[in-house]
């Protein structure tokens, strides 16, 4: 066989391979009605709203000016995390040539969304989804994102996963090209993305009635906020909050602001901790006048990354860690009294754990049936290092020891979730009877630890291998 024929055969084989390699991938778009058909009709709108908004936002991100706005406002005055963009508060932001954020969304209304909303999409979003936010995930903070290079995916964090396949439960994401993606709950995200979700940073509160927009009392949301505490701190809180454009009495208040202001209030009333080294008694409390002691949970430190243990391993759908602490007194038998409830809120994962990521952004051109060529913003990352931070609480759980010495105390922690729908749970202490009505979307019991009258002050009281507290008096 001549060299010329061999060369022709090689070129022909290469061309066959090349054609096969560049054959468009199969693509089937799943419409919103189909995706939400199996959900309770009373709650279906909560899924529909989030999917429709994510789709329209994704389409609007084809233009560089909107991407630049989101990148800029997300990073404004921050150091290691991105701001949430509350749509209700930012919908009238002017982005370019007098065009506001809301306009970008409305301009992308297609037949599918129009048929669902009959022209009142924005009205429905503001009424039914007032806590909707646009969020750049914190793990992308150091990614060098040139807005002219590609458009991000937009994933919709719905109140529950949309479906489940062989890779597990999943949520739905959209791209400006029309490409649609599944974000699996138990797999790491592999595409640069924005998230449309229920706010993790804010509560929406009627500051006269002291209930949130769902009718949940402030005393349930933040149990440390009695009426007298609220009245003391109201002015400072509202000075750092945002009035709702839809209701004069409703304010978007950052949970972290409420946490920090209460913490400052407690610290102004502090007594000095006792020095246990000067005590020669076997039971340290016997060295001090018991009624003058302030039992204090000083700090909280994690020992493992709870994101991987209890939450989605995507790192993007859930970025805050809110916790409820119960401090209980055992009164004998199965009788337990809740002495103190405390809400630890407004902390991001970056506050609990300093993580060093290796991130590699690799946009890739792909071709699909129906929608043609698409630039998919693939991103690859792995955690190289982690360091756990001590979260300062300085919270007084009890003054003195208001029961006989042989009655133990119990500290219990729950990771809690509050989103679109709230349910009533009866939670308690281990095998003892349930003791407290709480209102969450969901929760995870992280465990409990006993403290006796004679437990000395400890810098590290471990709760298994999950976390530890510092306890002093």
């Amino acid at each position: 066989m001549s060299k010329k024929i061999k060369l022709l055969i090689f070129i022909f084989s290469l061309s066959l391979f090349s054609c096969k390699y560049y054959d468009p991938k199969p693509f089937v778009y799943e419409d919103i009605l189909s995706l939400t058909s199996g959900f309770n009709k009373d709650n279906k709108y909560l899924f529909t709203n989030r999917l429709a908004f994510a789709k329209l936002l994704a389409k609007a991100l084809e233009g560089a000016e909107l991407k630049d706005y989101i990148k800029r406002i997300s990073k404004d005055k921050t150091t290691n995390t991105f701001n949430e963009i509350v749509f209700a508060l930012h919908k009238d932001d002017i982005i370019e040539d007098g065009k506001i954020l809301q306009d970008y969304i409305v301009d992308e209304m297609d037949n599918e969304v129009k048929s669902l909303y009959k022209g009142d999409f924005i009205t429905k979003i503001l009424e039914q989804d007032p806590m909707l936010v646009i969020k750049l995930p914190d793990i992308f903070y150091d990614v060098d994102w040139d807005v002219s290079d590609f458009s991000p995916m937009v994933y919709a964090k719905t109140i529950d996963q949309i479906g489940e396949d062989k890779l597990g439960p999943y949520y739905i994401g959209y791209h400006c090209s029309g490409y649609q993606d599944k974000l699996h709950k138990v797999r790491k995200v592999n595409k640069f993305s924005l998230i449309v979700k229920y706010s993790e940073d804010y509560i929406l509160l009627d500051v006269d009635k002291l209930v949130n927009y769902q009718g949940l009392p402030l005393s349930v949301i933040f149990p440390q906020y009695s009426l007298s505490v609220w009245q003391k701190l109201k002015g400072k809180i509202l000075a750092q909050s945002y009035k709702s454009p839809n209701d004069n009495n409703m304010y978007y208040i950052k949970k972290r602001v409420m946490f920090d202001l209460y913490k400052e209030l407690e610290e102004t009333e502090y007594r000095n901790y006792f020095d246990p080294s000067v005590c020669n008694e076997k039971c340290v409390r016997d060295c001090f006048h018991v009624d003058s002691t302030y039992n204090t949970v000083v700090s909280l430190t994690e020992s493992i990354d709870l994101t991987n243990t209890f939450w989605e391993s995507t790192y993007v759908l859930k970025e805050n860690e809110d916790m409820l602490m119960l401090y209980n007194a055992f009164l004998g038998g199965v009788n337990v009294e809740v002495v103190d409830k405390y809400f630890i809120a407004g902390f991001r994962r970056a506050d609990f754990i300093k993580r060093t990521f290796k991130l590699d952004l690799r946009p890739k051109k792909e071709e699909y049936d129906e929608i043609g060529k698409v630039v998919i913003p693939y991103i690859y990352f792995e955690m190289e290092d982690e360091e756990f931070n001590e979260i300062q609480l300085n919270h007084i759980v009890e003054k003195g020891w208001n029961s006989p010495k042989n009655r133990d105390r119990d500290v219990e922690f729950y990771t809690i979730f509050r989103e679109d729908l709230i349910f009533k749970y009866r939670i308690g202490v281990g095998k003892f009877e349930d003791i407290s009505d709480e209102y969450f979307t969901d929760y995870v019991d992280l465990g409990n630890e006993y403290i006796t009258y004679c437990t000395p002050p400890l810098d590290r009281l471990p709760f298994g291998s999950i976390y530890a507290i510092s306890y002093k008096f």
Side-chain angles (χ1 to χ4, degrees):
M1 186 182 294
S2 68
K3 290 183 178 179
K4 186 175 181 180
I5 293 175
K6 288 181 178 179
L7 180 60
L8 287 173
I9 292 173
F10 174 75
I11 293 172
F12 179 70
S13 301
L14 184 62
S15 68
L16 286 175
F17 174 78
S18 299
C19 289
K20 184 178 171 87
Y21 182 79
Y22 286 108
D23 275 350
K25 298 180 180 181
F27 176 78
V28 178
Y29 175 77
E30 294 186 80
D31 62 83
I32 294 171
L33 274 178
S34 298
L35 287 168
T36 59
S37 61
F39 294 107
N40 184 313
K41 64 180 182 179
D42 295 330
N43 301 329
K44 190 174 179 177
Y45 71 93
L46 294 172
F47 293 86
T48 304
N49 289 348
R50 213 61 63 80
L51 290 171
F53 192 94
K55 179 184 179 181
L56 298 183
L57 176 61
K59 291 173 65 179
L61 289 171
E62 189 168 9
E65 64 273 13
L66 181 57
K67 288 181 285 189
D68 183 68
Y69 160 82
I70 289 176
K71 177 182 177 181
R72 173 171 43 84
I73 199 169
S74 295
K75 207 165 186 175
D76 184 42
K77 299 176 183 177
T78 64
T79 54
N80 62 354
T81 60
F82 285 118
N83 297 314
E84 286 186 343
I85 303 174
V86 181
F87 180 68
L89 295 176
H90 291 276
K91 64 183 178 65
D92 296 320
D93 287 3
I94 297 175
I95 295 175
E96 187 173 82
D97 298 331
K99 193 173 181 179
I100 61 175
L101 174 59
Q102 175 178 308
D103 294 335
Y104 283 86
I105 304 298
V106 173
D107 286 351
E108 298 299 337
M109 294 275 287
D110 57 10
N111 290 335
E112 179 187 18
V113 179
K114 287 177 182 176
S115 68
L116 292 170
Y117 290 92
K118 312 301 181 186
D120 61 352
F121 176 69
I122 297 298
T123 302
K124 288 292 186 184
I125 290 295
L126 295 176
E127 289 177 354
Q128 298 176 345
D129 211 353
M131 296 290 281
L132 182 146
V133 300
I134 302 165
K135 180 69 170 59
L136 254 172
D138 291 340
I139 61 167
F140 299 144
Y141 193 84
D142 293 321
V143 172
D144 184 16
W145 175 30
D146 187 334
V147 298
S148 63
D149 286 348
F150 63 88
S151 295
M153 295 294 304
V154 180
Y155 292 106
K157 172 62 168 66
T158 43
I159 61 175
D160 204 351
Q161 61 264 13
I162 289 295
E164 186 166 354
D165 59 19
K166 63 182 181 180
L167 296 178
Y170 60 82
Y171 297 87
I172 290 292
Y174 298 88
H175 189 258
C176 64
S177 63
Y179 173 78
Q180 195 176 48
D181 188 42
K182 294 177 180 178
L183 176 60
H184 287 87
K185 191 175 181 180
V186 293
R187 295 172 68 87
K188 291 181 180 179
V189 67
N190 68 343
K191 299 176 185 71
F192 188 87
S193 60
L194 300 179
I195 307 297
V196 171
K197 63 181 178 180
Y198 186 96
S199 173
E200 296 184 68
D201 289 347
Y202 293 88
I203 62 172
L204 181 54
L205 187 73
D206 185 319
V207 297
D208 291 335
K209 297 178 181 178
L210 294 186
V211 297
N212 76 346
Y213 80 101
Q214 299 160 309
L216 206 61
L218 178 61
S219 58
V220 169
I221 303 170
F222 264 94
Q224 58 260 48
Y225 269 82
S226 63
L227 181 58
S228 61
V229 169
W230 168 258
Q231 290 171 341
K232 282 183 182 180
L233 298 177
K234 178 179 178 180
K236 290 182 179 180
I237 291 170
L238 296 188
Q240 301 178 62
S241 303
Y242 307 94
K243 184 179 289 188
S244 167
N246 301 318
D247 192 316
N248 289 332
N249 291 329
M250 302 294 287
Y251 279 76
Y252 288 89
I253 303 174
K254 278 196 171 182
K255 291 185 286 189
R256 183 61 180 271
V257 167
M258 297 193 71
F259 177 86
D260 285 345
L261 287 175
Y262 180 81
K263 178 170 166 285
E264 290 173 11
L265 182 66
E266 281 195 295
E267 288 170 343
T268 61
E269 302 172 358
Y270 254 10
R271 305 296 184 270
N272 292 327
Y273 298 124
F274 289 101
D275 180 5
S277 66
V278 301
C279 179
N280 294 319
E281 298 286 342
K282 184 176 181 180
C283 187
V284 176
R285 276 186 201 276
D286 288 341
C287 288
F288 312 106
H289 192 286
V290 68
D291 291 335
S292 64
T293 61
Y294 285 75
N295 303 309
T296 303
V297 178
V298 179
S299 63
L300 176 72
T301 309
E302 286 187 3
S303 302
I304 60 173
D305 187 351
L306 291 181
T307 301
N308 279 331
T309 306
F310 295 113
W311 294 343
E312 300 91 345
S313 60
T314 56
Y315 293 97
V316 296
L317 297 180
K318 182 75 178 170
E319 296 185 302
N320 282 27
E321 183 175 346
D322 291 346
M323 305 178 81
L324 176 70
M325 181 177 73
L326 298 185
Y327 184 81
N328 313 302
F330 291 95
L331 305 178
V334 294
N335 297 315
V336 182
E337 176 190 2
V338 179
V339 177
D340 182 80
K341 292 182 184 180
Y342 186 59
F343 188 33
I344 303 163
F347 289 90
R348 296 270 181 88
R349 295 302 307 154
D351 295 313
F352 280 90
I353 177 172
K354 181 180 179 181
R355 298 178 294 195
T356 303
F357 288 105
K358 180 181 179 182
L359 295 104
D360 188 7
L361 183 61
R362 303 177 195 169
K364 181 181 177 183
K365 289 184 180 180
E366 296 180 344
E367 187 171 351
Y368 291 88
D369 291 338
E370 305 297 331
I371 58 175
K373 293 180 180 179
V374 182
V375 178
I376 304 295
Y378 287 103
I379 192 161
Y380 300 87
F381 72 94
E382 55 188 54
M383 190 163 58
E384 295 187 321
D385 191 23
E386 60 184 18
E387 178 182 339
F388 296 98
N389 300 323
E390 187 176 21
I391 302 296
Q392 293 299 314
L393 305 180
N394 298 337
H395 175 57
I396 302 167
V397 289
E398 182 182 27
K399 183 179 178 181
W401 195 270
N402 299 316
S403 62
K405 295 181 184 180
N406 63 338
R407 300 303 187 218
D408 293 346
R409 297 293 188 262
D410 169 82
V411 183
E412 189 151 11
F413 282 91
Y414 299 85
T415 292
I416 68 169
F417 308 87
R418 285 198 187 103
E419 296 191 15
D420 306 78
L421 297 178
I422 301 297
F423 306 99
K424 180 180 177 180
Y425 296 94
R426 185 77 174 162
I427 61 177
V429 184
K431 62 184 179 181
F432 287 87
E433 291 182 356
D434 296 338
I435 58 174
S436 183
D437 287 332
E438 304 298 338
Y439 296 84
F440 309 139
T441 299
D442 200 0
Y443 72 97
V444 176
D445 188 344
L446 298 179
N448 62 298
E449 186 63 49
Y450 295 105
I451 297 173
T452 68
Y453 177 86
C454 291
T455 298
L458 294 168
D459 284 329
R460 188 172 180 83
L461 181 63
F463 285 67
S465 60
I466 298 175
Y467 60 95
I469 64 169
S470 173
Y471 173 79
K472 294 185 179 180
F473 53 82

